[in-house]
Amino acid sequence: MKEKLARLRLVRLLIAALKTKAVRILIPVVIFGLVIWAGQHELKKVRLGVMLAELRRIPAGAIAEIFVLALAAVAVMSCYDFVIRRQFRFRVSPGRTFRYSWIANTFNNLLGFAGLTGAGVRALLYKKSGVPASSITAAAVFLSPVVLNGLSVMAWLEIFGVFQAKTLLHEHRWMNLAVWAIALYLPLFIALQRTRLFAKWFHKQGKELFPWRTILEAVGASFVEWLFAGLTFSLIANHVLDGGVGWRELLGMYTVAAVGGILSMAPGGVGAFDLTVLLGLKHMGFPAERALAVIVLFRFFYYIIPWCIGLILAILELGFGGRKPGEEEERQLLEVPLTYWQKLWGWPGQFRFLSDLGVWALGKLVLLSGLVLLLSAATPGLLYRIRLTEDLLTMPVMHLSHQLSVIIGFALVILSRGITLRVRQAYVWTRIMLLAGAVFTFTKAFDYEEAVFLLLVALMLWISRDRFYRAGTPVIRRSVVLWLAITLVLAFIYYWLGSHIHNGFFRHLHLKEPLIGRMTARAYAVNTVVGLAGAWLLLILIFSLRPGRLPANRATPEELARVQAFLQENSGNLLTHMLFAGDKSFYWAQEGRVLFPYAKVRDKLVVLGDPLGQMELVSAGIAEFQRFADLYGMLVVFYQVTPEYLPIYHENGCRFFKLGEEALIPLNAFTLAGKKHADLRSIKNRFDREGYTFEVVSPPHSGPLLEELRAVSMAWLKGRQEKGFSLGWFDPAYMQQSPIGLLKDGGGRVTAFASLAPAYDGGKTVSIDLMRHTPHAPNGTMDYLFTRLLEWAKDSGYERFSLGNAPLSRVGQKERALREERLAGLVFQHGGHWYGFKGLRKYKEKFAPHWESRYLAYPANIYLPVLTLDLVRLVSRKVKP
């Protein structure tokens, strides 16, 4: 029964660890999938070539009107920021307030997540202008429930008949419930304004209640935002539909579609909004191609173009200078007090990119540049430009430019990751690709708009050139597979768009004579394969010739000699002897006065134990080592650290996880006398009677002895692979570094042995390193060996003896412990089937040790389960002599 309850508790903890993330990810994905499934019948009717032709026939004057109104619709959203500027007394100029608003609102429009993206961007930007974090938090929390009020007003206008979407609501009656639900939000919001419940959820402290003037101004700002968005949608629909629908009907349709988008919780309402518009225009008698043209133009002018402008503004605000990213901004962003609504969405951990928004924006601009090149290559150019290109350029030049544009497009998509990671080499090659892409997209079909955009992105990169300081980043298999999958998907989309849109577009035009520049589906297939393969081959060659990666070098004899000399003047710790195994790399900080022994695993540098050196230099040494790791895109993790150093790790941005406890035996109190150690005394007497002998031999060890010990070790392993990093393994060169305790039977044959590891602390502490015994060793062999080792250490003048770690011991035992530690505690209690956690601690308890905690110190932006797998991989890595 107890085991069943324990399993149930384990399952509950796993569910608790995953449920928040599942809610954030699964709900929007499931709703989006349901929307696509429900609308697949309508989507099948869409002919993309015809839709593109509908877009191309809109006159330039109408495009200019739409562009101006869309920018105005985004600009009026700054009313939010001017409201909080007055209410919270931000000392920020009106111009800067407007720019911050544009950046935050365009990011929030595109990425969504219940307004949390906008809140995070505002926090970062206003913090840059010196606004206190507490004021930013209060302002962001104030805005989070306000935004929906404008749509609620629009819903009431729909209910009272000012806006009209009667046909849509009649055909789909469930939408009436959705409209009423949003409509009731406004009176509920007003009614709750003065309640403690509302304050608890959205004001955090439960005390600060805002004046009615501020609330009404915020509601008015929300209404202006939604109204102008609706007007932009209506203007676009009016031009695409040739004025066939009135403004009241279009605003009514927009309101119903926006309600569906909000309830779907997808970023920007993607899916639900679009399908509602598609259904609404279908009921009005318009073909699916025109409806899709309305949606595409609205997404482009209201979301994409303002967001591109927001990216550029973000780069100009945050992208100048050579400042290497520190953790201070991110820490201040992450320490913002949270409401329950924010906690539900995992804020702000899922938006850590905001801590360096300028470079993140550059990476997205480069990604967008690659997509623009691919889209430009997949869609036909304007007819008069195609005719002009055919007259001025030869067909081989046009086809070569088209093919090179595709290759560069794929290359920019991949390079965008390197730009986000601030890799210098990626910056250099991205600028080359952008300039080349501008040339080839121009010679392909005189697409000067795309060329200007690419040159603008290249200019933004040049402005921010000092921020690209990294020599390289680790090549992680999972990341490579992910980007390969992304480019394969983009390749398929490019081929599908090209072969469907191109031919459908020209058929829709009913041309009397064929166009020389028209491409076949086979030509698009060839372009896809050559473009994708060419881009990956080019990038592999670039980064292979100049890898810029941190090499995982093993320690050389000269370095080990330097460590030996260093330990003559500085104290070590219980893990220091592992350094002489030769499998670690060394970083010398603070002009060689602080030593970091580390090993590389994926994108992490794992330091074994606490840094070695003077205590007052360690904090600055950690910061120096972190900067070194950051040059290569690596993160620093400290493994098996002691409680004494925890404050130093904390001030350098680390979180902690308790790994277990180390058994330290105070030798001055150790004795076999008394009732408590009767079992150990009995075992010792039995082995002495049977003729077993014990001795400790000092190096250098003879060749025959090492061969005999190797045979014992091989028999003990039974074909298993040796572990490393924090564990010793049998290697003759390593065994020569320390004394070895030998247990021999009556015939003089070695039955068991244990190598000893000094702590390099002035002869105070010694520990067991490698322990092995023959398969046929009698019961109690290791008890006898440990007992004799403890007696030897006490007689030799040592003060403490370490029996090693008890993993997960006393982890997560308290009710309010972290979820991860409580989960680890359950593994300790009930994981004996895989590893004898409880048994190991119980065994060491018989020697009456003092238990000292050991911790894992890691950066806040590392996901602990992934880090755990990396550490298991590191310790289990095949060792090399």
Side-chain angles (χ1 to χ4, degrees):
M1 185 67 180
K2 288 184 178 180
E3 185 177 352
K4 187 175 182 180
L5 289 174
R7 288 179 180 175
L8 181 61
R9 188 180 170 199
L10 179 62
V11 170
R12 285 176 177 172
L13 270 175
L14 285 170
I15 293 173
L18 297 173
K19 68 177 182 179
T20 303
K21 191 169 185 179
V23 167
R24 293 199 310 266
I25 296 174
L26 289 180
I27 290 180
V29 170
V30 168
I31 293 177
F32 181 75
L34 289 174
V35 167
I36 296 299
W37 176 78
Q40 58 182 333
H41 177 70
E42 302 301 327
L43 294 173
K44 287 178 181 178
K45 298 179 181 178
V46 175
R47 294 170 294 172
L48 295 179
V50 177
M51 184 272 294
L52 185 63
E54 293 286 349
L55 291 175
R56 287 285 171 84
R57 70 181 185 80
I58 300 175
I63 294 293
E65 290 179 13
I66 295 169
F67 179 73
V68 171
L69 184 56
L71 295 186
V74 175
V76 298
M77 296 171 72
S78 63
C79 294
Y80 289 124
D81 289 80
F82 283 102
V83 169
I84 63 174
R85 176 175 175 266
R86 183 193 61 78
Q87 171 63 32
F88 297 96
R89 297 180 176 86
F90 289 178
R91 294 182 179 179
V92 182
S93 67
R96 180 157 289 181
T97 300
F98 180 81
R99 293 197 299 275
Y100 289 175
S101 169
W102 189 287
I103 297 169
N105 289 319
T106 53
F107 269 73
N108 195 68
N109 276 355
L110 198 71
L111 301 181
F113 290 106
L116 298 183
T117 306
V121 175
R122 280 188 175 90
L124 180 65
L125 292 170
Y126 282 112
K127 180 63 184 175
K128 178 178 177 289
S129 291
V131 178
S134 57
S135 298
I136 301 171
T137 304
V141 172
F142 165 72
L143 285 180
S144 59
V146 166
V147 176
L148 273 183
N149 283 289
L151 184 59
S152 184
V153 174
M154 300 272 283
W156 281 113
L157 294 175
E158 171 66 38
I159 291 170
F160 286 121
V162 179
F163 301 155
Q164 295 183 353
K166 294 180 180 178
T167 305
L168 182 60
L169 294 175
H170 178 74
E171 292 289 335
H172 305 278
R173 295 187 180 278
W174 64 269
M175 291 183 179
N176 288 281
L177 297 176
V179 171
W180 270 103
I182 294 296
L184 292 174
Y185 181 86
L186 177 62
L188 182 65
F189 172 83
I190 294 174
L192 292 176
Q193 263 306 304
R194 295 303 202 189
T195 65
R196 292 294 177 188
L197 177 64
F198 189 86
K200 179 181 178 182
W201 272 72
F202 290 100
H203 299 333
K204 187 62 181 178
Q205 303 302 325
K207 297 178 181 179
E208 185 177 5
L209 298 173
F210 298 103
W212 283 111
R213 176 188 170 184
T214 301
I215 295 169
L216 293 176
E217 286 177 349
V219 172
S222 177
F223 175 65
V224 170
E225 173 203 350
W226 288 101
L227 179 62
F228 268 76
L231 290 173
T232 304
F233 172 84
S234 301
L235 180 63
I236 292 170
N238 195 274
H239 283 298
V240 173
L241 305 176
D242 297 323
V245 185
W247 286 85
R248 294 171 64 189
E249 288 80 2
L250 291 173
L251 284 170
M253 183 194 305
Y254 171 79
T255 301
V256 176
V259 167
I262 287 293
L263 295 179
S264 74
M265 292 188 289
V270 173
F273 176 90
D274 310 283
L275 181 61
T276 306
V277 172
L278 199 63
L279 292 173
L281 292 178
K282 172 201 170 185
H283 294 318
M284 293 180 181
F286 293 99
E289 290 80 14
R290 287 200 174 188
L292 192 58
V294 172
I295 295 168
V296 168
L297 282 178
F298 181 66
R299 292 286 182 192
F300 184 71
F301 281 102
Y302 186 71
Y303 289 93
I304 303 299
I305 289 182
W307 184 62
C308 290
I309 297 172
L311 285 175
I312 295 171
L313 290 176
I315 294 165
L316 295 176
E317 289 287 341
L318 302 168
F320 287 108
R323 179 186 66 84
K324 294 179 176 63
E327 295 183 350
E328 186 61 28
E329 285 182 354
E330 181 177 359
R331 198 175 303 131
Q332 289 168 344
L333 180 64
L334 299 184
E335 288 176 356
V336 170
L338 305 179
T339 65
Y340 295 109
W341 179 244
Q342 291 168 311
K343 288 178 181 177
L344 172 65
W345 287 93
W347 169 256
Q350 67 193 61
F351 297 114
R352 295 185 187 278
F353 66 87
L354 298 178
S355 61
D356 200 19
L357 182 59
V359 173
W360 186 89
L362 276 171
K364 295 305 161 280
L365 270 181
V366 171
L367 174 64
L368 195 59
S369 300
L371 296 178
V372 164
L373 275 174
L374 292 174
L375 186 61
S376 175
T379 56
L382 296 175
L383 284 180
Y384 75 91
R385 294 188 191 175
I386 296 175
R387 300 286 191 190
L388 181 61
T389 308
E390 292 174 351
D391 292 338
L392 297 179
L393 300 175
T394 62
M395 284 305 301
V397 171
M398 291 177 62
H399 283 303
L400 179 62
S401 298
H402 190 280
Q403 183 65 78
L404 291 174
S405 295
V406 174
I407 294 175
I408 293 172
F410 283 120
L412 287 174
V413 168
I414 305 168
L415 282 168
S416 66
R417 177 63 177 165
I419 293 298
T420 302
L421 294 174
R422 300 174 290 275
V423 180
R424 184 73 183 176
Q425 192 175 345
Y427 157 75
V428 173
W429 283 100
T430 300
R431 283 190 62 202
I432 294 173
M433 296 291 178
L434 287 169
L435 295 175
V439 172
F440 293 130
T441 195
F442 189 74
T443 57
K444 172 176 64 71
F446 281 177
D447 291 330
Y448 62 85
E449 298 92 345
E450 290 93 327
V452 170
F453 177 73
L454 296 177
L455 292 174
L456 180 61
V457 175
L459 176 63
M460 292 293 101
L461 278 176
W462 180 80
I463 290 173
S464 305
R465 60 192 179 279
D466 291 336
R467 293 180 67 84
F468 300 96
Y469 62 90
R470 280 183 175 153
T473 56
V475 178
I476 301 173
R477 186 180 306 169
R478 183 183 63 182
S479 181
V480 172
V481 171
L482 173 63
W483 282 93
L484 180 60
I486 290 173
T487 51
L488 285 172
V489 170
L490 290 176
F492 173 77
I493 293 174
Y494 162 79
Y495 166 74
W496 185 72
L497 284 176
S499 58
H500 284 73
I501 289 182
H502 209 96
N503 296 323
F505 174 78
F506 285 112
R507 280 198 303 269
H508 185 70
L509 295 179
H510 303 294
L511 295 177
K512 295 181 179 179
E513 55 181 290
L515 207 60
I516 299 177
R518 181 173 172 179
M519 294 177 60
T520 63
R522 181 179 178 182
Y524 274 108
V526 172
N527 271 0
T528 302
V529 174
V530 173
L532 186 61
W536 274 98
L537 180 62
L538 176 64
L539 292 172
I540 289 171
L541 288 174
I542 289 172
F543 289 97
S544 296
L545 294 174
R546 296 183 60 193
R549 295 200 305 256
L550 178 65
N553 295 325
R554 293 165 58 87
T556 63
E558 293 77 17
E559 287 178 312
L560 293 176
R562 183 181 179 185
V563 172
Q564 196 73 259
F566 178 80
L567 292 173
Q568 298 295 324
E569 301 178 1
N570 297 273
S571 294
N573 56 48
L574 289 168
L575 296 170
T576 300
H577 190 69
M578 301 291 172
L579 275 57
F580 297 100
D583 64 328
K584 285 84 176 172
S585 301
F586 300 134
Y587 181 82
W588 299 89
Q590 297 296 291
E591 300 178 345
R593 292 178 292 174
V594 180
L595 171 60
F596 293 85
Y598 70 90
K600 176 184 171 186
V601 56
R602 289 198 331 123
D603 59 341
K604 301 169 186 71
L605 302 183
V606 183
V607 179
L608 181 62
D610 297 313
L612 304 178
Q614 300 176 29
M615 189 74 149
E616 60 270 19
L617 299 176
V618 169
S619 182
I622 290 175
E624 182 181 333
F625 185 49
Q626 287 173 331
R627 289 193 295 270
F628 165 76
D630 188 56
L631 286 174
Y632 298 93
M634 309 290 288
L635 297 167
V636 177
V637 175
F638 297 90
Y639 183 65
Q640 289 195 23
V641 300
T642 60
E644 183 182 8
Y645 283 77
L646 293 187
I648 297 177
Y649 297 123
H650 177 72
E651 68 185 23
N652 283 279
C654 290
R655 290 182 177 178
F656 308 107
F657 178 81
K658 187 176 178 182
L659 294 170
E661 295 181 322
E662 180 139 358
L664 297 170
I665 301 174
L667 293 174
N668 60 350
F670 176 74
T671 177
L672 292 182
K675 183 178 180 181
K676 185 175 182 180
H677 289 140
D679 290 343
L680 293 177
R681 191 167 60 248
S682 174
I683 290 172
K684 181 176 183 295
N685 294 334
R686 175 166 60 87
F687 272 80
D688 288 342
R689 286 194 306 270
E690 292 176 0
Y692 282 85
T693 59
F694 169 81
E695 65 174 320
V696 175
V697 294
S698 299
H701 306 298
S702 66
L705 174 62
L706 291 178
E707 285 301 316
E708 186 177 6
L709 298 184
R710 182 194 294 275
V712 174
S713 178
M714 296 296 290
W716 182 84
L717 286 171
K718 298 179 181 179
R720 298 189 304 265
Q721 180 180 302
E722 293 264 30
K723 297 185 184 298
F725 185 63
S726 60
L727 300 172
W729 67 90
F730 193 93
D731 173 55
Y734 180 56
M735 299 295 289
Q736 291 284 9
Q737 302 291 326
S738 63
I740 303 175
L742 303 176
L743 176 61
K744 298 181 180 180
D745 61 16
R749 294 180 297 272
V750 175
T751 301
F753 71 90
S755 62
L756 298 169
Y760 302 91
D761 58 351
K764 296 179 182 179
T765 311
V766 68
S767 67
I768 290 179
D769 185 11
L770 199 67
M771 298 176 292
R772 302 287 156 91
H773 61 78
T774 60
H776 304 294
N779 290 336
T781 295
M782 299 313 293
D783 288 347
Y784 179 72
L785 181 61
F786 286 159
T787 300
R788 296 302 305 268
L789 283 171
L790 289 168
E791 291 178 336
W792 170 85
K794 183 177 182 179
D795 294 340
S796 300
Y798 288 100
E799 298 176 8
R800 295 191 308 171
F801 193 98
S802 172
L803 290 178
N805 277 315
L808 303 183
S809 174
R810 292 192 180 180
V811 176
Q813 301 300 309
K814 301 296 182 182
E815 183 180 349
R816 295 187 179 275
L818 295 176
R819 182 186 297 135
E820 293 86 352
E821 293 192 348
R822 283 188 284 132
L823 185 60
L826 284 177
V827 173
F828 175 81
Q829 294 290 335
H830 308 284
H833 177 73
W834 302 283
Y835 187 92
F837 294 104
K838 284 185 72 174
L840 184 60
R841 180 182 174 96
K842 187 176 181 180
Y843 177 81
K844 294 180 180 182
E845 285 280 11
K846 70 174 66 176
F847 296 96
H850 164 73
W851 294 97
E852 188 175 278
S853 298
R854 293 293 181 265
Y855 295 90
L856 179 68
Y858 60 97
N861 57 347
I862 289 182
Y863 189 45
L864 187 58
V866 174
L867 173 58
T868 303
L869 292 176
D870 287 338
L871 292 173
V872 171
R873 181 186 305 174
L874 176 62
V875 173
S876 303
R877 184 182 291 170
K878 187 176 181 180
V879 296
K880 298 178 181 179

